[in-house]
Amino acid sequence: MTALLRYQCALLLRSQRWLAPFALYSAFVAVGIRPGDPVLDSLGYAAVGLVPLTAWLVRICVTNEPAAARDVAAAAAGPVRVHAAALLTALAGALLTGAAGAAVALLLCDRAGLAPARTALAGGLTVAVCALTGAAVGALCSRPLVRRRGYGVLAAALGSLLALVLAPSPARGALSALATGARSGSVPLPFTALAGALLLAGAAGAAACRVSARRG
C-alpha cells in the first residue's frame, strides 16, 4: 500500500491539477482570516473550505491515471487497493492544507482567554471532520459511482453544500460547536462529529472501492 500511495502522490504532484483547488483555498483563507479576529471563528472558517476542496481533490486523484495505466495498476495490486490509495492521497492532501489554514488562524487571530493547546486541538479536530466529510462527498460523486464529468462536478458541488447545511452532517456539527464556543468563550472538542465523519468517510470509501472492484 505504501508504494501505491507514493505512486498516487507522484501522479497528483506531476499532474499540476492540484494547483487550482489549492490556489482557491489559499485565496479563501487570505480573504477571510484577518489579524485580531476571534480564533474559533477563524478556525471554523479555515475548516469550512475543506469540504469542497477535499471533494475536488478526490475527483482529481481518482481520474488522474489514463485508463490503460489504471488497468495495469489494478491488475498488479487489485482495483480496491488502487482506488483506496487514490482516496487516501486526496484526504492526506486536504488534511495538510487544512493544517496550514488552521496554523494561519492560530498565529494571527485573538486567543484571549482560551487555552492554546485546547484551542489548537479543537481546530485540528474540526479540520479533520471537514476533510473526512469532503472525502465522503468526493468518493460518492466520482468514478466509479458517477462516471460523467459534468454530473460528477454538479453532484460534488451540491453534496458539499448539503454537507455544510444539513443538521445530521458531521461537518455542520463540528462547525456549529466552534461557533457556539466562540460566543460562550469555551473551547468544544468535536469528538462525536469526528466519529461520525470517520464512519461516513469509511462507508463512502468502501462503497466506491467495492464498485471499482466489480467494474475493474
Side-chain angles (χ1 to χ4, degrees), residues 18 28 40 56 69 77-78 87 149 176:
W18 55 271
F28 180 77
L40 293 181
W56 193 348
L87 297 177
R149 177 177 296 180
S176 297

Side-chain angles (χ1 to χ4, degrees), residues 159-216:
S160 297
L161 177 62
L162 292 176
L164 293 171
V165 300
L166 292 181
S169 167
R172 165 79 183 271
L175 293 167
S176 297
L178 275 188
T180 300
R183 291 193 297 269
S184 65
S186 61
V187 183
L189 299 177
F191 288 115
T192 301
L194 178 63
L198 285 168
L199 288 174
L200 180 63
C209 290
R210 189 176 299 115
V211 174
S212 72
R214 291 175 182 173
R215 297 184 181 178

Side-chain angles (χ1 to χ4, degrees), residues 8-212:
Q8 290 292 338
C9 287
L11 280 177
L12 177 61
L13 292 174
R14 291 175 182 173
S15 72
Q16 298 186 3
R17 295 173 66 192
W18 55 271
L19 288 173
F22 282 107
L24 285 176
Y25 181 79
S26 298
F28 180 77
V29 169
V31 169
I33 297 180
R34 300 178 181 179
D37 286 348
V39 68
L40 293 181
D41 286 340
S42 296
L43 286 170
Y45 185 88
V48 73
L50 289 177
V51 176
L53 170 76
T54 313
W56 193 348
L57 282 178
V58 167
R59 285 195 52 79
I60 290 172
C61 287
V62 300
T63 58
N64 250 340
E65 293 174 283
R70 185 166 61 244
D71 290 343
V72 171
V80 171
R81 288 165 63 85
V82 171
H83 198 76
L87 297 177
L88 289 173
T89 299
L91 178 60
L95 288 172
L96 288 173
T97 306
V104 170
L106 290 168
L107 289 172
L108 296 182
C109 298
D110 183 15
R111 301 191 305 270
L114 302 178
R118 187 177 177 89
T119 301
L121 179 58
L125 291 174
T126 305
V127 161
V129 170
C130 288
L132 287 165
T133 304
V137 171
L140 294 175
C141 299
S142 303
R143 191 191 66 81
L145 295 174
V146 181
R147 290 185 173 269
R148 295 285 186 89
R149 177 177 296 180
Y151 292 153
V153 171
L154 181 61
L158 180 59
S160 297
L161 177 62
L162 292 176
L164 293 171
V165 300
L166 292 181
S169 167
R172 165 79 183 271
L175 293 167
S176 297
L178 275 188
T180 300
R183 291 193 297 269
S184 65
S186 61
V187 183
L189 299 177
F191 288 115
T192 301
L194 178 63
L198 285 168
L199 288 174
L200 180 63
C209 290
R210 189 176 299 115
V211 174
S212 72

